[in-house]
Amino acid sequence: MDIYIKGHYQRSIYQNSNGYHIGLFKVRETNSPELTPFLDKTITFTGYFHELNDMDTYLFFGQMVEHPKYGLQFSVTSYERCKPEEKDAIVEFLTSGLFKGIGEKKAKAIVDVLGKDTLQIILENPDNLILIPGITKTNIDTLHNKLKEYESSYETVLYLSNLGFSTKDSMLIYNYYKDRVKEVIEEDIYQLEYSIYELNFKKIDRIALKNGMAKDSFVRVRAAILYIMEEVSNTYGHSYFYYDEIFQYLPRVLLISISDEVYKKAMESLIVDLMVVNKEDRYYLKDMWEAETLIVKRFRLLAHKEDEDFKNLEDKLTEMESVFDISYNEEQRRAILDSIRKSFLIITGGPGTGKTTIMKGIIELYKEVHKLSYEKLAERVQLLAPTGRAAKRMSDATLMPASTIHRFLKWQKETNKFQVNEYHKSKAEVVILDESSMVDTLLMASLLRGISANCKVIMVGDSYQLPSVGPGQVLHDLISSSKLPVVELKELYRQGKDSNILTLAYDVRKGEVVDDVFNKEEDLTFIECSDDDVISNLMDVSSTFKDLSYKNFQILAPMYKTKCGIDMINQRLQVIFNPKDKSKKELVVGDVIFREGDKVIELTNMPDENIYNGDIGIISQIVTQPAKKITIDFDGNEVTFTAANFNKFRLAYAISIHKAQGSEFDVVVMPIVQGYRKMLYRKLVYTGITRSKKMLYLIGDKNALRQAVNNTSSDIRRTTIKDFLENGIK
């Protein structure tokens, strides 16, 4: 007899180009007594697969094997995708989270007894549930009341489930379209991607093809074009594309070749429908075109407003210097005075040039000029940053409230929209935006839509740092246009002049690596070693700082995989910073062990919980029974994650340099090895170096460092903000 397991593919732990997978599978059914203990649990599987989709039910045929290192695994010899059954769809609906207290076991028991008419039976006579083991009166009342509430939806949800959508996605679709769901899907199923944040092209495309969509369908080609433009934009940071460039990507997405004629027709229809904009043979997604033009128009307007004339402004600044016992240099004085006089200003400079000191000066002088209390000042002046940690640093330095841009604009995850927008604007009169290099084009446009046309904007940042993760390079383009008011800070504070870290940072900016960097200094150490020895050196250095607060010590690296990657470093450093202890509970998630006391980093924005991508916290509690939960303490803000959301954070003894932007640490350790060479470039190294305040360790290969500093290829992004400022919007 062939042994099988039936259930749902969860995710892959490992896969190669030949289709070999190691992954996790949730077992719902089996014909093997040996596998009965795994029912409703996750099991590791191995085998060769063409494609696996976490929305489908599968039959895996094979046998249990004992791996010497990883333990019991189900070795798959063959598999098949199961056609969705109505009973399965009902179980999914009942366990969607709508019905409190109903888990998989209870839902399955209900459906086993009541069958495919379960929902109708509960609606008409909920007392039928009394005889089902484990069902309480509270469960019955909840089921009945919620079903009445969702009576009009469940047929639609079942329809969507039978198409292949998960119950969660089905509810999102229903809540958005209500009674129009079937009409929308029959017209163009790919519309779902544009209206519902959590749905993407690949997910929708799998379902569309499974339900008979032709591979060369016109609507599929249109959707693929939009998907390509968005994906390439997010990957390479471009604002626009060329006609032939998009066409070359299409076969990779569609997995078929299409004619020039079909492509032309699809592109023309997207332009007619105002989803794509073509200007001088540059093809923009509509949102990107509107964002770039808005940024240019708004900043050009603000920059050309007449300066406000304040009497004795310079004298007031001099008096302020005396009160606060500070002496600004000429660059700093100009930055503060121009911030008060002008409606728009960019203040740029590297580390040690006093950007934070200037922001404090701007706030105090604005308060003095306008004779405001601190309460009124906080109402009129809004301090913003792209990340939670940068906002906290800003607040700590200025003693003023500071917020992330997303929180200020009241971002809603469900809709991926901001509640503060062109229709509901903020009353802020001044916005001071720190770490401006991290702000992408779309986010900057959203910010401008959310503030009044007369709101003063002061952008502060270092244009030599990494550009935004999202598309565009707003700060760089604004500065390089030479059409807007900019104060560039070049003079270092007295204490900065003696810093070897800052000396190295400015050398890297210039594209230089002098030999002195390799000589051990008080605040800068280079440990030369091969790729094979990097991890052991990392552990030696880290051991000396194991008692330092997690906020003050950080390892930064450019890659997650490889033998010197972030994942491997985290695995090894967990042993040093948070070793296994009987008093600490732990959970295994995939190939990662999470333990109470672990340092972790948030990977998404969760505005309702006031935590954002890049926030770092400590696991304060782990619950293993009855439901798995992990509670993380983010600087006093405790947030609990259920098993479905364990992918929203990861270990953070080592993090990426991108994730570290907007943060500073007393001690930073950076491995620099040949294994990273494809990912190492000047701005990345510079950004990593400038995260360190007191001590920097570089571990690895001298040549790898020199090669990285000479590599500027990743700086190239196709944008048009600079062009529009210089030559006008065509």
Side-chain angles (χ1 to χ4, degrees):
M1 179 181 69
D2 290 336
I3 294 175
Y4 74 80
I5 52 175
K6 182 179 179 181
H8 296 279
Y9 160 73
Q10 302 288 289
R11 68 183 181 90
S12 286
I13 298 170
Y14 168 82
Q15 65 183 91
N16 63 24
S17 57
N18 295 322
Y20 180 75
H21 284 249
I22 302 174
L24 301 177
F25 189 84
K26 190 72 171 284
V27 182
R28 306 292 190 203
E29 182 184 316
T30 182
N31 64 343
S32 169
E34 181 190 1
L35 292 169
T36 301
F38 290 97
L39 286 173
D40 298 318
K41 295 180 180 177
T42 299
I43 192 172
T44 303
F45 71 88
T46 64
Y48 289 87
F49 302 86
H50 174 62
E51 185 182 20
L52 291 172
N53 177 14
D54 59 9
M55 295 180 295
D56 289 324
T57 301
Y58 290 91
L59 268 176
F60 284 0
F61 298 92
Q63 58 186 345
M64 292 297 292
V65 296
E66 181 78 31
H67 191 280
K69 183 177 179 180
Y70 300 108
L72 281 173
Q73 299 177 337
F74 191 82
S75 177
V76 182
T77 54
S78 65
Y79 74 102
E80 61 186 55
R81 183 183 282 110
C82 303
K83 185 179 178 181
E85 295 177 11
E86 195 165 7
K87 284 186 177 182
D88 293 336
I90 296 171
V91 170
E92 290 260 345
F93 183 63
L94 293 176
T95 56
S96 64
L98 291 173
F99 310 98
K100 193 175 178 181
I102 304 297
E104 284 182 31
K105 285 185 179 178
K106 286 184 180 179
K108 219 171 167 183
I110 292 169
V111 175
D112 284 345
V113 173
L114 302 182
K116 62 183 178 66
D117 296 322
T118 290
L119 302 180
Q120 198 59 40
I121 291 170
I122 296 172
L123 276 169
E124 293 174 357
N125 188 1
D127 290 341
N128 281 302
L129 294 168
I130 293 173
L131 299 176
I132 297 171
I135 303 296
T136 66
K137 181 69 166 61
T138 303
N139 292 152
I140 294 172
D141 291 342
T142 300
L143 273 167
H144 186 239
N145 293 333
K146 276 291 179 181
L147 271 180
K148 283 173 65 179
E149 184 181 338
Y150 282 91
E151 186 174 0
S152 62
S153 74
Y154 75 75
E155 286 187 7
T156 303
V157 171
L158 290 179
Y159 160 75
L160 290 166
S161 297
N162 284 324
L163 288 179
F165 289 101
S166 68
T167 304
K168 178 184 175 184
D169 289 342
S170 298
M171 290 304 303
L172 288 172
I173 297 167
Y174 174 80
N175 288 332
Y176 190 92
Y177 288 107
K178 301 296 183 185
D179 297 332
R180 294 180 56 239
V181 169
K182 288 187 179 181
E183 176 191 336
V184 168
I185 287 177
E186 288 171 3
E187 179 187 356
D188 179 3
I189 191 172
Y190 297 97
Q191 292 179 73
L192 303 179
E193 178 190 359
Y194 321 136
S195 53
I196 299 171
Y197 173 62
E198 296 196 9
L199 297 181
N200 57 50
F201 171 83
K202 285 192 171 181
K203 183 184 285 188
I204 296 168
D205 192 49
R206 284 197 297 265
I207 292 170
L209 291 172
K210 189 170 69 175
N211 287 279
M213 177 70 69
K215 288 187 176 182
D216 61 351
S217 164
F218 178 71
V219 295
R220 185 172 185 248
V221 175
R222 274 173 47 108
I225 291 170
L226 295 175
Y227 169 72
I228 288 166
M229 293 178 73
E230 186 170 350
E231 284 296 299
V232 175
S233 179
N234 288 328
T235 302
Y236 297 104
H238 301 324
S239 298
Y240 64 87
F241 305 89
Y242 299 113
Y243 185 85
D244 291 341
E245 177 184 23
I246 301 168
F247 185 56
Q248 289 170 1
Y249 278 108
L250 273 172
R252 305 182 202 178
V253 174
L254 297 172
L255 300 178
I256 59 165
S257 296
I258 62 164
S259 67
D260 292 347
E261 185 181 349
V262 172
Y263 171 51
K264 183 181 179 182
K265 184 181 175 185
M267 181 63 83
E268 286 175 349
S269 76
L270 289 170
I271 294 170
V272 170
D273 291 345
L274 303 179
M275 301 179 81
V276 173
V277 176
N278 176 21
K279 295 290 182 179
E280 298 190 324
D281 295 325
R282 295 171 174 175
Y283 290 79
Y284 303 78
L285 287 169
K286 177 194 173 191
D287 288 350
M288 186 61 69
W289 167 260
E290 291 180 345
E292 289 204 327
T293 54
L294 172 65
I295 291 167
V296 170
K297 289 175 181 177
R298 179 67 68 86
F299 286 152
R300 195 159 53 191
L301 185 67
L302 286 174
H304 286 87
K305 286 184 70 174
E306 287 189 19
D307 292 354
E308 293 188 76
D309 185 19
F310 294 98
K311 290 183 179 180
N312 305 318
L313 190 61
E314 294 197 33
D315 292 342
K316 284 187 171 66
L317 181 57
T318 302
E319 289 173 17
M320 200 173 79
E321 285 180 296
S322 177
V323 170
F324 290 100
D325 192 24
I326 192 170
S327 179
Y328 300 113
N329 63 38
E330 284 304 309
E331 292 173 348
Q332 293 170 331
R333 286 183 68 88
R334 184 188 155 206
I336 295 170
L337 293 169
D338 281 0
S339 294
I340 304 299
R341 291 172 177 144
K342 298 180 181 297
S343 295
F344 176 72
L345 183 68
I346 296 172
I347 302 168
T348 183
T353 54
K355 295 190 295 293
T356 301
T357 302
I358 289 168
M359 283 192 287
K360 290 163 67 176
I362 294 167
I363 292 165
E364 289 296 335
L365 188 57
Y366 185 90
K367 174 180 174 292
E368 176 64 25
V369 167
H370 293 278
K371 302 186 181 334
L372 300 172
S373 65
Y374 278 108
E375 184 180 358
K376 288 292 183 184
L377 182 69
E379 290 177 5
R380 293 173 65 170
V381 179
Q382 183 66 56
L383 307 186
L384 300 177
T387 67
R389 288 180 69 83
K392 189 174 187 309
R393 269 200 313 121
M394 200 180 186
S395 182
D396 291 344
T398 61
L399 303 179
M400 284 270 294
S403 165
T404 65
I405 302 171
H406 280 79
R407 187 168 179 81
F408 170 68
L409 295 176
K410 298 181 180 178
W411 181 65
Q412 288 187 310
K413 183 180 178 181
E414 293 77 16
T415 60
N416 194 30
K417 292 180 179 177
F418 297 107
Q419 290 179 285
V420 176
N421 50 44
E422 59 265 52
Y423 309 108
H424 306 282
K425 292 181 180 288
S426 163
K427 294 179 180 179
E429 297 178 11
V430 181
V431 163
I432 302 176
L433 178 59
D434 197 14
E435 298 288 351
S436 298
S437 64
M438 297 176 64
V439 183
D440 65 53
T441 302
L442 295 173
L443 185 57
M444 179 60 76
S446 295
L447 175 60
L448 294 177
R449 290 188 185 102
I451 59 178
S452 72
N454 295 317
C455 180
K456 184 194 293 285
V457 178
I458 302 163
M459 295 176 65
V460 183
D462 183 353
S463 61
Y464 286 89
Q465 282 196 34
L466 287 168
S468 56
V469 174
Q473 46 187 12
V474 178
L475 183 66
H476 174 273
D477 284 354
L478 297 176
I479 293 172
S480 60
S481 74
S482 302
K483 296 292 184 179
L484 300 171
V486 177
V487 176
E488 185 177 2
L489 308 172
K490 297 178 181 177
E491 187 177 339
L492 289 175
Y493 268 139
R494 188 166 58 250
Q495 61 266 36
K497 293 176 181 177
D498 300 322
S499 167
N500 293 295
I501 298 172
L502 292 187
T503 301
L504 173 61
Y506 282 94
D507 284 345
V508 169
R509 270 177 57 156
K510 293 183 290 186
E512 300 175 357
V513 178
V514 296
D515 288 338
D516 285 352
V517 71
F518 304 119
N519 302 323
K520 188 173 181 179
E521 301 285 355
E522 188 176 336
D523 60 347
L524 173 61
T525 301
F526 190 98
I527 300 173
E528 188 175 8
C529 65
S530 67
D531 286 22
D532 292 335
D533 294 328
V534 163
I535 294 290
S536 61
N537 277 284
L538 275 174
M539 293 186 71
D540 288 344
V541 171
S542 300
S543 295
T544 63
F545 297 103
K546 65 181 181 180
D547 296 324
L548 200 63
S549 165
Y550 76 93
K551 299 178 183 178
N552 295 328
F553 176 82
Q554 189 62 61
I555 293 174
L556 304 178
M559 297 175 68
Y560 285 94
K561 304 303 176 184
T562 76
K563 60 184 178 183
C564 302
I566 293 168
D567 291 343
M568 180 59 70
I569 296 171
N570 273 320
Q571 188 180 336
R572 299 292 296 276
L573 289 189
Q574 189 184 39
V575 177
I576 294 174
F577 288 96
N578 192 31
K580 192 177 181 66
D581 190 310
K582 289 182 179 178
S583 66
K584 296 178 179 179
K585 291 182 180 176
E586 58 184 47
L587 270 176
V588 179
V589 181
D591 54 350
V592 177
I593 298 171
F594 289 109
R595 187 174 292 133
E596 290 176 342
D598 271 334
K599 179 180 178 180
V600 293
I601 185 169
E602 174 65 18
L603 304 175
T604 63
N605 290 319
M606 298 176 66
D608 293 343
E609 302 287 355
N610 195 25
I611 56 169
Y612 296 88
N613 192 343
D615 285 353
I616 292 176
I618 297 291
I619 295 178
S620 57
Q621 186 183 32
I622 289 178
V623 176
T624 57
Q625 294 292 337
K628 297 175 181 178
K629 296 178 182 179
I630 296 178
T631 300
I632 302 173
D633 183 352
F634 295 96
D635 285 331
N637 177 22
E638 287 202 329
V639 180
T640 298
F641 296 80
T642 59
N645 295 313
F646 288 167
N647 62 339
K648 290 185 175 180
F649 56 86
R650 65 192 310 155
L651 293 175
Y653 302 107
I655 63 175
S656 71
I657 297 171
H658 281 89
K659 291 290 186 188
Q661 272 190 280
S663 302
E664 287 183 340
F665 309 92
D666 286 350
V667 182
V668 168
V669 182
M670 285 177 58
I672 306 282
V673 299
Q674 289 293 343
Y676 296 156
R677 60 187 178 276
K678 291 182 180 179
M679 295 290 294
L680 283 175
Y681 54 98
R682 186 184 298 174
K683 281 191 175 182
L684 190 81
V685 173
Y686 173 77
T687 302
I689 291 168
T690 56
R691 300 309 90 203
S692 175
K693 293 194 291 184
K694 296 180 180 180
M695 180 75 70
L696 174 66
Y697 288 85
L698 300 175
I699 302 176
D701 188 319
K702 295 178 181 178
N703 289 327
L705 177 61
R706 290 194 176 99
Q707 290 163 11
V709 171
N710 289 326
N711 179 13
T712 59
S713 60
S714 294
D715 293 350
I716 302 168
R717 290 188 171 191
R718 293 201 300 265
T719 61
T720 40
I721 288 176
K722 178 177 181 288
D723 180 33
F724 289 165
L725 283 167
E726 292 176 344
N727 305 308
I729 300 170
K730 299 176 179 65

